[in-house]
Amino acid sequence: MADLHGLIYAFHSSPALGDLVMPRTSASLPFCSRYRLIDFALSSMANAGVRGVGVIMQRDYQSLLDHMGSGKDWDLSRLSGGLRLLPPFGMHGSSLGEYKGGMEALSAVRAYINDIKQNYVVIFRGDLAANIDLKDVFDAHLSSGCQITAVCAENACKGGGDIRFIPDTQGNSKKMLFSNFNENGALSTTEVYVINKSLLVNLVDWCHSNGKLHFHRDALTHYLNEGGTVGLYVHKGYTARICSVSDYYSANMDMLKAEYRNDLFNDDNPIYTKGRSSVSTYYGEDAFSRNSLVADGCYIEGELTNCVLFRGVRVKKGAKLKDCVIMQDSVVGENVSLSHVIADKYTVFSDGLALSGSHVLPIIVPKCKII
Amino acid sequence: MADLHGLIYAFHSSPALGDLVMPRTSASLPFCSRYRLIDFALSSMANAGVRGVGVIMQRDYQSLLDHMGSGKDWDLSRLSGGLRLLPPFGMHGSSLGEYKGGMEALSAVRAYINDIKQNYVVIFRGDLAANIDLKDVFDAHLSSGCQITAVCAENACKGGGDIRFIPDTQGNSKKMLFSNFNENGALSTTEVYVINKSLLVNLVDWCHSNGKLHFHRDALTHYLNEGGTVGLYVHKGYTARICSVSDYYSANMDMLKAEYRNDLFNDDNPIYTKGRSSVSTYYGEDAFSRNSLVADGCYIEGELTNCVLFRGVRVKKGAKLKDCVIMQDSVVGENVSLSHVIADKYTVFSDGLALSGSHVLPIIVPKCKII
Amino acid sequence: MKKECIAMLLAGGQGSRLYSLTSRAAKPIMPFGGKYRIIDFPLSNCANSGINVVGVLTQYQPLQLNSYIGSGQPWDMDISRGGVYILPPYQSAGSKGEWFSGTANAIYQNIAFADLWEPEYVLILSGDHIYKMDYADMLEQHKEHGADCTIAVIQVPLEEASRFGIMSTDEKGFVTKFAEKPKEPESDLASMGIYIFTWQKLKKYLIEDEQNPQSEKDFGKNIIPNMLNSGEKLWAYSFNGYWRDVGTIDSLWESNMDMLAPALIDLYDRSWPIRSRSPIKPPHYIGENAEIRHSIVTEGCDIRGTVSNSVLSSGVSVGEGAVVNYSILMPGCEIGKNAIVEYSIIGENAVIGEGAAVGSPPNGMSDIKITTCGPDSAVNASARVEAGAMIYSDRRGK
Amino acid sequence: MKKECIAMLLAGGQGSRLYSLTSRAAKPIMPFGGKYRIIDFPLSNCANSGINVVGVLTQYQPLQLNSYIGSGQPWDMDISRGGVYILPPYQSAGSKGEWFSGTANAIYQNIAFADLWEPEYVLILSGDHIYKMDYADMLEQHKEHGADCTIAVIQVPLEEASRFGIMSTDEKGFVTKFAEKPKEPESDLASMGIYIFTWQKLKKYLIEDEQNPQSEKDFGKNIIPNMLNSGEKLWAYSFNGYWRDVGTIDSLWESNMDMLAPALIDLYDRSWPIRSRSPIKPPHYIGENAEIRHSIVTEGCDIRGTVSNSVLSSGVSVGEGAVVNYSILMPGCEIGKNAIVEYSIIGENAVIGEGAAVGSPPNGMSDIKITTCGPDSAVNASARVEAGAMIYSDRRGK
C-alpha cells in the first residue's frame, strides 16, 4: 500500500480522433483487441499498490461508467479508498463546455483532492498507452527530494505534445520547453506526474484565484518561476499518446510487433480490463490468418493479414481484411474486401463490399453503421 | 426473474426539505438510523426479482453514487442488466436546471428505455418510504389487462400529492383527479406505476414531440383522453412520501411505532442498504434510553427519549435528547439538551448547549456544522 | 431463505480414467473446448435456468476448484441470497468425519446444507458432462406429472446402450424399469445422470439407504431402483441436444473435436451463454508464417507454426515450423519449434521440446490412439512419443 | 503470484470445552462482543497489517464458516490477487485422504497451498483469540533479528503460567527455552500461539516431523522444541495489549464482559477497525419501559425489559419485565416476558420462556458459575435453570 493517490484525466475527447470519440471520451477508446485506453492508467496504479483513485470525468462518460463499474477488475473496489468517479460537482452553470485545461479540471474536484489521505498524488492521462512502473517512479520521487516528478519518455512520446524538460546535472530540471525547437538532451514528458499533495493543493488554489486553467502553461510555469525543481524519471517502455486517428491506428498496428506488445502486456505488471465472458475464437476450414491479433469470441471464415480484431467479430467466407482494426461485435460479410479500415463497434459490412483507405488516412466506420 | 424493468426517479431535491437536501437529492436522504430513502425503491424491486434497474439522476448525485456503488448490496450487480446510473446524456446545454417533470426525465434517457429488454417497466419515486410487493402489483397488472397500473395507498400517502383515481366497478379507473376536492372512493396514487414498455415509449415520444414535460398532467391525461384505462392496486402497508421537513421528521418518528416499523422492515421482504462495518452500540453506566431507535456504532452515556440515532453517534454524559433525529457520526457534548432537533451528518454540539424546536418546526442543523 | 429448487453438483471424483491428466486437479475443472472448464457447463446451465443455489460436493484436490469457483461471479452467482458453495467432507459433534462413500452418501452428508434453503426440489448434477439444458423446463415436467423423481434421458445407439443406465418407460413416459449397464438392454433410453427429486422424498430414501450396510450408496445402483420398487412415480425427461460424458481420454478428445463442429453444439449462442473464469491475457497472435485452419484459439496464445483441427486453451504457444493437428492443447502449454503434435492431449503448462514428435495419425478412423502428456510434463527436444503413450507429470516440484 | 508473507489460520477444532455452544458450528464463528465472531479478530488484524492471503484450515462443520467468510468482502479481502481460502482436508492422487491430526499436520497437508504464493514468511494464527495486533510490526522484528521463527509472547501472572507454553529468553530477546504447560514455570512469558516462520525453514521441520511416528504433530509440543534443539534462531516478540483465549465457557464469558470496559480494548478506534459480516437488520429499539445500562446492543434487537452489564448480539429480543444481567445473548435469542437471566450465555436462536429464571449471581466473585443454553435450545415458561447448568440444543430438528 503506497502513500500515493491516483488521479486520472478522463474528461477529454480529442477532436482529431473524429468519429471515434463521438460516443465516448479518449480514455474509453477500445484498444488492442480487448482493452480501453484507461486500463493503462488504472493498471499502472493498481500494480503500484495505489488503493485510491479518482477519475475526473465531465461529459459522455456513460461508456467509462460501464467499463469501470465498481473498479473490481483492477482490485480497486475497496471498503475505504477504491475507485471514485468524479463528475463536476457544485459547478452549476459555471462551465458547460469541456474543461479547458488540467487545472480547471482539478479545481472542479478541489474538495475531493482536499480529502485525499495520502501525501502524494500521481496524475495520469487517460489517453496514454503505457505500462509505467509507478512504484519505481514514486521511489525516484522520494529520493530526489523534488516536490514534483515528471515521467518522461526516452523517445518522444508518440503522438504526444512537445513539452520537454532540460535536465540539470543531477537529472532534475528547472527549465521547461513548449516548442519542439531542438535542444540537446531535452526530455519529452508523458504528462504523468507524481506530486506532493501539499504542492498540488497550492497550485490548484493559486490557479483558481488567478483564473489560470492549464497545468503546464500556468501551474508548472508558476512553480518553476518561483524556483521550484522538477524531478525527471525516464520511462523506457513503449509509450503512445492517442490524440488523433493516425495515433490510434499506428498504436494498434504497433501491437502486432512482439517487442511492443510484450512491453505493454507482461505477466509481472499485467494490464487489467473489464471481464467479458465469451467463447474462444473459431477459425473455419478456409480461414487464413497472418500477423494478426484476435480477441476471444470471433468467428473467422475469411482471411486476415495485419489486423487487430476485437471480441465477437465475425468474418464471413471469402472476406479479405488487410491492415484493419475491427471493433467488438462487428460483422464482415462474404467476399468483403477491406484495407486500412477502422470499424467501430457493431459495424456491419454487407456482402461484397470493398473499402480501401491508406496508412496515412485510414477509413473510419462509425459505431453501429451498416454499410 | 420477472419480465419487469425498474426505473427510479432520483433527480429531485424537494425545496421544502431545505438544508437537508443541500448536499444531496431527496432519494439519498438518510432515514431510520441506517437507510437512505432510495433503499425502498431498490429493495422493493430486488425482492420482486427485478434484475435490471435504471436510476435517473441529474445533479448532486455524488452521495447516491457512493451509496449505491455497483448495486451489490441489493444483488443488482449483475453480468447483464443490473444497476445503471442514468445521468442526462446527449443533452448538451439543453437543460441545465432540474428536470421539470417526469416525462422530461424519461425523455432524457429515451435511448436507455428503448434498449430495455423486458416488456414491462415499474417506475418508482426515490423519495417514497414504502415496502411495496411489486410481484403482487405485477401479477395484478397482468391480470387486469390494463396497459398501466397505479399503486395507490389505502390512506392518502403521507406527505403525498393530491393526485387520485376514481375506480370503476372493475376496480380500474378512467378518471384522474388533481384537486383534493372530496370525491367518494377516490384513491391516492403513490406515483409507483407498472406500465407496458410499448405504452411508455409511446408516451415519452408523444410528450417529447409535443413539448410536454409532466407524467400526470400531460402523459396520463393524454392516455386517459385517448380512452385508456388505469389499473388500480391498493398497497395496504405504511407509505410516506418525503417532500418536506415535516414529512421527514414525522416519518422518522413513525418508525418508533412497532406497527409501522415492522411493516416497513420485515424478514420476508427485507430492505437492503449499503453495508458499513461497525462495532455494536455501547451504553455507559449512566445511560438511559426510552422509546428510541439506535443504529450500531453509537456510544451513549447520556439520555435518549423518543429519538432516532444513526450510526456512530456519540452522546456524552449528562446530555439529554428528546424527540430528536441525529444523523451519522454526530457528537452531542456533555450536558447538551436537545429537543425536536434534526442534526445532519457530522454535526458537533458543544458541551452545555441547549436547543429546542417543536414538533411542527423541528430545528435543522446542517451537515458538518459545529455549534 | 426459501428456494423452490437448488442444485447439488457431484464433483467428487478424481476421474481416474483420465490418468495423468487429473493427477493435479479434479476432473470438473479440466480445461475444455478452449475457453472452458467442464464445470462451466452445469454451472452456466443452472444460471441460465434461474437456479442460483449450487452446492458443489468435492473431496479430491479442492484447492484449484475452490479458486476457480471463487465467489461465483463469472457465472453471475455472487449474490447474497444464494451462490455457489463448496461442500467438502467434515467432522461434526460426536463424529470423527467420514469421506463421501458414494454419490448418494455425498448428498446424505449434506442434507443439512440442502435443508437451509427449504427446497421443494433438488436437482442432482454431475461435473463431467458437456451439454446445454434448460433445467427449468425439466422442473416444469417434474411438477406437471407429479413425479417423485425425474430422470433426464437421451437416446443412444442400441449397441452402446450397455454402457449406460437404461430406462424402460410406459406409453405416458413414466419409468417402468431401470437397469444399470445391462448386458442385454431392453431400450435405447439412457440416463444422463441428471435427476430432479422432490426433496422430502429423496431425503427419506437417502436416510433409509444409509441404514443398509450392503448398499453402495449410489443413485443409479441403489436410490433409483429402491424408489422404483417402492412404486414411486419416476418421470423420464427426454433430451435431444448434444450431450457427452467426458470421463475417458477418448471421450475427452472426441468431445473437444466436436466443438469444431458448431452445428453440434452452438457455443456462440448469446441466449444461453456458457460462462467461464478467464485469466488476464492479451489477444492471441497469429504470426507472419503461421497457418491456422479449422481450430479453436483462445486469448494469450502465440501461434507461429501450423495449427489445424485442434483446440487451443489460453496462453498456448506454438513455435515456428511446429505442426499441431487433431490435438488438444491445454492452458499454458508450449510446443517447441518444428515439433509435431498429432492426435494428442497436452496438459496444462506441459512443454514439448523442439523437434519432438508426439502421437501420430491412425491407420483408419477406428484405430485412433490418443497420446497424452500430463500437466507440467516435459518431452525432450527431438524425442519421439509413440501413439497412445501417456507421459506423467514429472518436470516441476510443485 | 508472489507474496512476502501469507497467513494460515488454524480454525480446525470443535472447541469441545465450549460444550453445547459449539454443537452446531465451529468455534471461530462463535458470536462475540455483540457484533463480532471470534474469527473477525485475526482476519481484521491481517487486513489491517497488509496481509491479504489467508488460508483457513478447518475440518469441523465448515458450512457456516464458509458462508460467513464468503468472498472475504467484509474484511476487504475479495481481491483477485489474494483473498481468504477455506482449506478442508482432501484426497489426492494415490491418497485416500487424511483428517488433520494436529496443528503442524494441518499446515503440512497444505504445503502446496502455501507454495502457490512463494512466500518468504508464513504467519500461523489460531481462531480463538481476542486481540488487536499489527503483524507487520512482528514481521519487521522477525526480519530485523534474522529469526527462523518468531513467537508472540505476553506476560502472564506467574501463578497462571503453568497453563501456557512458557518461554525463557536471553538478554537480547532470543528464546533459550520453551516448556509447554510447565509445572514449575521458569518465566512469566507465555506464548500467544502466534508464530511467524521463515517458510523454507518451517517446511523442512514439518516434513521431518511427519516422519516421526511418535510426534503429536503439534507446533507447541513438537515443531518449536525441535527447532530450539537444532539451534535455530527463535525470537520472542513482546506484546502488551489486550489478549484473551476464549476456549472455555468461563473465558468466553469473561472476555465478553471485558468488552464493556472500553479501556481494555478499544473497538471504536477507526484506525484499526475490526470488521465483520453484518446481517440485514433495522436499528435496535429500546421500548417505553425498558432500562438499559452498561451494555452492548446490536442492530435488530428489541428491548422491552431491563438490561445491564450484558452483551447483546443482533436480533435479540427481551420481553417486558424481563431482567438480563451479566449475561451474553447471542444472535436471535428471545428472552420471554418477566424472565430473569443472570450470569448466563444464551446461544443463537435459543428461547427462554416467560417467567423462567436462568442462572444466578455468585456468592462472592470467586464463585461465579456461568449457566449456558446451547443454540436453538429452549427453556420452558417459569422453569428454573440452576447456576452452572448446561442446556443442550433440543428444540428444533435442524
Side-chain angles (χ1 to χ4, degrees), chain D residues 167-184:
Chain D
M167 226 84 62
S168 303
T169 56
D170 62 18
E171 67 284 0
K172 285 192 205 123
F174 285 100
V175 177
T176 54
K177 211 167 160 191
F178 179 88
E180 185 69 20
K181 298 186 182 149
K183 290 217 172 107
E184 289 172 21

Side-chain angles (χ1 to χ4, degrees), chain B residues 281-312:
Chain B
T281 282
Y282 172 75
Y283 288 93
E285 292 278 1
D286 305 315
F288 173 93
S289 178
R290 282 283 161 85
N291 192 40
S292 292
L293 283 168
V294 182
D296 278 349
C298 297
Y299 198 98
I300 302 184
E301 298 172 289
E303 297 186 9
L304 308 176
T305 309
N306 313 327
C307 288
V308 176
L309 264 61
F310 286 70
R311 290 173 179 170

Side-chain angles (χ1 to χ4, degrees), chain A residues 220-240:
Chain A
L220 261 191
T221 302
H222 170 69
Y223 170 72
L224 291 169
N225 287 345
E226 300 275 301
T229 306
V230 175
L232 301 179
Y233 174 95
V234 179
H235 168 66
K236 302 209 161 100
Y238 183 85
T239 314

Side-chain angles (χ1 to χ4, degrees), chain C residues 352-378:
Chain C
I352 309 299
E354 292 189 13
V358 177
S360 57
N363 309 316
M365 283 315 275
S366 60
D367 190 35
I368 296 178
K369 286 200 190 100
I370 304 305
T371 311
T372 54
C373 296
D376 294 328
S377 65

Side-chain angles (χ1 to χ4, degrees), chain B residues 37-253:
Chain B
L37 287 181
I38 200 172
D39 292 338
F40 295 99
L42 290 168
S43 302
S44 292
M45 289 178 180
N47 288 332
V50 174
R51 298 279 293 263
V53 175
V55 179
I56 306 178
M57 311 186 296
Q58 198 174 29
R59 293 193 324 203
D60 298 325
Y61 46 76
Q62 189 64 33
S63 77
L64 261 187
L65 280 180
D66 289 349
H67 182 66
M68 296 190 296
S70 63
K72 200 151 182 41
D73 290 309
W74 299 268
D75 274 349
L76 286 170
S77 170
R78 309 255 53 86
L79 289 175
S80 51
L83 189 69
R84 279 283 290 272
L85 314 174
L86 306 173
F89 317 119
M91 299 243 327
H92 303 164
S94 76
S95 171
L96 237 203
E98 199 174 84
Y99 293 130
K100 283 170 208 74
M103 294 314 284
E104 188 186 11
L106 294 173
S107 285
V109 299
R110 170 71 171 77
Y112 177 83
I113 293 174
N114 209 48
D115 288 348
I116 289 175
K117 292 204 185 83
Q118 288 80 9
N119 290 305
Y120 302 90
V121 174
V122 54
I123 299 177
F124 208 117
R125 285 179 67 115
D127 60 359
L128 188 70
N131 189 345
I132 297 179
D133 185 346
L134 291 177
K135 203 163 185 303
D136 203 37
V137 177
F138 186 43
D139 288 346
H141 177 77
L142 292 179
S143 63
S144 80
C146 295
Q147 294 189 68
I148 179 164
T149 296
V151 177
C152 297
E154 198 172 36
N155 305 308
C157 181
K158 290 189 189 186
D162 300 320
I163 298 166
R164 289 174 301 155
F165 291 98
I166 301 174
D168 62 18
T169 48
Q170 280 84 48
N172 301 325
S173 172
K174 288 180 172 295
K175 195 165 175 205
M176 179 169 48
L177 301 174
F178 285 93
S179 75
N180 58 8
F181 177 79
N182 202 21
E183 176 117 14
N184 255 351
L187 291 166
S188 284
T189 173
T190 63
E191 303 192 14
V192 172
Y193 292 95
V194 170
I195 181 167
N196 293 9
K197 187 198 152 186
S198 53
L199 174 62
L200 181 65
V201 168
N202 287 344
L203 292 176
V204 168
D205 290 347
W206 182 83
C207 286
H208 190 67
S209 52
N210 289 281
K212 304 288 192 183
L213 305 176
H214 299 279
F215 186 80
H216 294 93
R217 205 195 307 160
D218 300 322
L220 260 191
T221 302
H222 171 69
Y223 171 71
L224 290 169
N225 287 346
E226 300 276 303
T229 306
V230 175
L232 301 180
Y233 174 94
V234 179
H235 169 66
K236 301 208 159 100
Y238 181 84
T239 314
R241 195 184 316 152
I242 310 299
C243 299
S244 67
V245 170
S246 146
D247 292 345
Y248 179 76
Y249 183 74
S250 67
N252 272 292
M253 289 298 140

Side-chain angles (χ1 to χ4, degrees), chain A residues 59-371:
Chain A
R59 291 192 326 201
D60 298 324
Y61 47 77
Q62 189 63 34
S63 77
L64 262 187
L65 280 180
D66 289 350
H67 181 65
M68 295 190 296
S70 65
K72 199 147 185 43
D73 291 309
W74 299 268
D75 274 350
L76 287 170
S77 170
R78 309 255 52 87
L79 289 175
S80 51
L83 189 69
R84 279 282 290 269
L85 314 175
L86 307 173
F89 317 119
M91 298 242 329
H92 302 164
S94 75
S95 170
L96 237 203
E98 199 174 83
Y99 293 131
K100 283 170 207 72
M103 294 315 282
E104 188 185 10
L106 293 173
S107 285
V109 299
R110 169 72 170 76
Y112 176 83
I113 293 174
N114 209 48
D115 287 349
I116 289 175
K117 291 203 185 85
Q118 289 79 12
N119 290 306
Y120 303 90
V121 175
V122 55
I123 299 177
F124 209 116
R125 285 180 67 114
D127 60 359
L128 188 70
N131 189 345
I132 296 179
D133 184 347
L134 292 177
K135 202 163 187 301
D136 203 38
V137 177
F138 187 42
D139 288 345
H141 178 76
L142 293 179
S143 62
S144 79
C146 296
Q147 291 189 71
I148 180 164
T149 295
V151 177
C152 297
E154 197 171 37
N155 305 307
C157 181
K158 290 190 191 185
D162 300 319
I163 297 166
R164 290 174 300 154
F165 292 99
I166 301 174
D168 62 18
T169 49
Q170 280 84 47
N172 300 325
S173 173
K174 288 180 172 299
K175 194 165 176 207
M176 180 168 49
L177 302 174
F178 285 93
S179 75
N180 60 6
F181 177 80
N182 202 21
E183 175 121 14
N184 255 351
L187 292 166
S188 283
T189 173
T190 63
E191 303 192 13
V192 172
Y193 292 96
V194 170
I195 180 167
N196 293 9
K197 187 197 150 185
S198 53
L199 174 63
L200 181 64
V201 169
N202 288 343
L203 292 176
V204 168
D205 289 348
W206 181 83
C207 287
H208 189 68
S209 51
N210 291 280
K212 303 289 192 185
L213 304 176
H214 299 279
F215 186 80
H216 294 93
R217 204 195 308 161
D218 300 322
L220 261 191
T221 302
H222 170 69
Y223 170 72
L224 291 169
N225 287 345
E226 300 275 301
T229 306
V230 175
L232 301 179
Y233 174 95
V234 179
H235 168 66
K236 302 209 161 100
Y238 183 85
T239 314
R241 196 185 314 153
I242 311 299
C243 299
S244 67
V245 170
S246 145
D247 293 345
Y248 179 77
Y249 182 74
S250 67
N252 271 291
M253 288 299 138
D254 282 346
M255 292 303 105
L256 293 173
K257 300 186 184 94
E259 172 199 352
Y260 296 144
R261 189 170 67 245
N262 296 340
D263 181 68
L264 276 190
F265 306 105
N266 63 73
D267 287 345
D268 293 335
N269 289 302
I271 300 299
Y272 304 97
T273 188
K274 184 185 178 186
R276 165 172 159 165
S277 199
S278 61
V279 63
S280 300
T281 281
Y282 172 75
Y283 288 93
E285 292 278 0
D286 306 315
F288 173 93
S289 178
R290 282 282 160 86
N291 192 39
S292 292
L293 284 167
V294 182
D296 279 349
C298 296
Y299 197 98
I300 302 184
E301 298 171 290
E303 298 186 10
L304 308 176
T305 309
N306 311 330
C307 288
V308 175
L309 264 60
F310 287 68
R311 290 175 180 169
V313 170
R314 168 140 207 183
V315 179
K316 296 195 182 170
K317 281 184 189 158
K320 287 188 168 57
L321 277 62
K322 205 162 164 298
D323 304 304
C324 291
V325 176
I326 312 288
M327 291 191 211
Q328 196 174 307
D329 294 324
S330 292
V331 177
V332 181
E334 291 185 16
N335 302 313
V336 165
S337 164
L338 303 177
S339 93
H340 298 93
V341 168
I342 300 174
D344 208 325
K345 292 161 80 172
Y346 309 111
T347 309
V348 176
F349 295 93
S350 307
D351 291 355
L353 189 88
L355 276 183
S356 174
S358 76
H359 187 83
V360 200
L361 198 70
I363 295 174
I364 296 178
V365 184
K367 194 171 162 184
C368 300
K369 200 91 177 174
I370 300 176
I371 55 173

Side-chain angles (χ1 to χ4, degrees), chain B residues 33-35 261 272 276-285 287 289-294 296 299 311 329, chain D residues 35-36 260 262 268 270 275-276 280-288 290 292-299:
Chain B
S33 298
R34 60 191 301 260
Y35 302 93
R261 190 169 67 244
Y272 304 96
R276 168 172 157 165
S277 198
S278 61
V279 62
S280 301
T281 282
Y282 172 75
Y283 288 93
E285 292 278 1
S289 178
R290 282 283 161 85
N291 192 40
S292 292
L293 283 168
V294 182
D296 278 349
Y299 198 98
R311 290 173 179 170
D329 294 323
Chain D
K35 188 89 179 181
Y36 303 106
L260 294 173
Y268 295 80
R270 291 188 188 170
R275 302 187 192 272
S276 62
I280 300 151
K281 297 278 183 191
H284 72 256
Y285 175 72
I286 309 289
E288 294 276 3
I292 185 144
R293 216 168 35 75
H294 198 232
S295 291
I296 279 173
V297 184
T298 308
E299 285 174 348

